[in-house]
Amino acid sequence: MPVIIQIPTALRQFADGQPEISAEGSTAGDVIAAFAERYPDIKRHLYDEYGALRSFINVFLGENNIKNLEGPATPVKDGDVLILVPAIAGGTGKSA
Amino acid sequence: MILLDEEARLVIRSEGERAYPNECCGFLIGRFGEAGARVVTEARPVRNSREKEERYHRFVIEAEEFMRAEAYARKMGLELLGFYHSHPDHPAEPSGYDEENALPFYSYVIVAVEGGAAKNLTSWELSADRAGFVNEPIGAIPAAFWNANIINIDKEDI
């Protein structure tokens, strides 16, 4: 079932410049994975070396962050919109 | 190349000093100029959402704040070009943690704050293959840009 994924500006260069694409899947995680399979260059920005979504990548289903739903197992249906939104993090990392 | 408005530099420096010994953070808003240069016309502070005891060496800008900043930039006819944060008592160079959490495309401006006083200001861009940060020269916005671009300077909250 096709679900729309809205892509943040920073990652559009890895998806032929498109602001949104449609992908298939029954869960949010499946849909994002299908998207990443279609555009392999985007994988390293979405997933860490263990294959998990990077901690700073947030996926919203409508207005709800899937972290507050069922995570990647959150069910999606035809016509749903998933929005990829980065949280921005950093810092010196120095010890006190 | 990133061109920083003088007021934006002042905001970044003063925010770094105000937050010391913790880290400050914020958005860089503007538009693309000639030869793809990022022209930053506003530095917009945002709350460091890390736990209080972690803010001396970490910052985070929540996704919801990111969406608000993008909406604000769109409303102003501008773009979200990047982010700034401070490095208290640490060089203005990206840490490994900065790199792990960065995305390509955006500019990451860092201000070093030594003993409470803002010092060096640098800017960095992550390479598309995540191989590392590349230093980005910082320049001033030429008068010709302002003459050619009318920007609503009523910076309203949304």
Side-chain angles (χ1 to χ4, degrees):
Chain A
M1 59 184 79
V3 170
I4 302 293
I5 301 176
Q6 292 185 359
I7 308 163
T9 308
L11 297 180
R12 289 177 194 167
Q13 62 183 300
F14 306 107
D16 297 335
Q18 301 174 92
E20 61 180 44
I21 60 107
S22 62
E24 303 254 341
S26 57
T27 66
D30 288 347
V31 173
I32 302 297
F35 166 52
E37 282 303 315
R38 197 185 315 167
Y39 300 100
D41 288 345
I42 210 167
K43 277 186 186 173
R44 60 165 65 99
H45 302 293
L46 294 180
Y47 297 101
D48 63 21
E49 64 268 38
Y50 305 107
L53 269 178
R54 288 186 180 275
S55 58
F56 62 84
I57 295 291
N58 292 271
V59 182
F60 281 75
L61 174 58
E63 294 184 351
N64 299 306
N65 192 325
I66 65 168
K67 286 177 183 170
N68 302 323
L69 300 173
E70 297 175 50
T74 300
V76 291
K77 61 183 187 307
D78 192 10
D80 276 349
V81 177
L82 293 174
I83 310 170
L84 299 179
V85 185
I88 305 302
T92 64
K94 68 179 182 181
S95 300
Chain B
M1 180 82 174
I2 183 170
L3 307 180
L4 282 178
D5 172 54
E6 189 56 36
E7 187 181 328
R9 293 182 200 228
L10 285 173
V11 167
I12 296 168
R13 291 182 184 282
S14 61
E15 282 292 303
E17 292 177 350
R18 183 195 56 75
Y20 184 87
N22 292 327
E23 296 196 4
C24 72
C25 52
F27 300 101
L28 303 174
I29 290 169
R31 62 176 52 148
F32 287 97
E34 290 182 15
R38 293 175 171 89
V39 184
V40 175
T41 54
E42 182 182 355
R44 190 171 176 82
V46 66
R47 189 171 74 94
N48 179 352
S49 294
R50 278 303 299 241
E51 303 84 348
K52 198 172 179 181
E53 64 275 16
E54 294 291 324
R55 289 181 198 156
Y56 75 94
H57 71 158
R58 294 274 194 259
F59 79 91
V60 68
I61 301 173
E62 298 288 1
E64 290 81 358
E65 296 284 3
F66 181 94
M67 287 195 285
R68 281 191 203 102
E70 278 209 320
Y72 169 79
R74 271 198 306 274
K75 188 177 177 184
M76 300 286 285
L78 301 171
E79 294 190 57
L80 177 56
L81 299 175
F83 316 94
Y84 71 84
H85 72 283
S86 60
H87 277 184
D89 296 320
H90 200 79
E93 294 171 4
S95 65
Y97 189 73
D98 286 330
E99 194 172 308
E100 284 167 27
N101 288 280
L103 283 168
F105 174 81
Y106 295 116
S107 289
Y108 290 81
V109 165
I110 302 174
V111 59
V113 182
E114 296 174 19
K119 301 290 185 184
N120 201 19
L121 193 73
T122 60
S123 185
W124 308 82
E125 184 181 4
L126 186 69
S127 62
D129 61 1
R130 302 195 72 85
F133 270 113
V134 177
N135 184 251
E136 186 178 43
I138 298 177
I141 299 179
F145 173 84
W146 295 113
N147 294 337
N149 292 270
I150 298 170
I151 293 175
N152 177 7
I153 58 169
D154 294 330
K155 294 162 184 170
E156 51 192 297
D157 289 322
I158 57 169

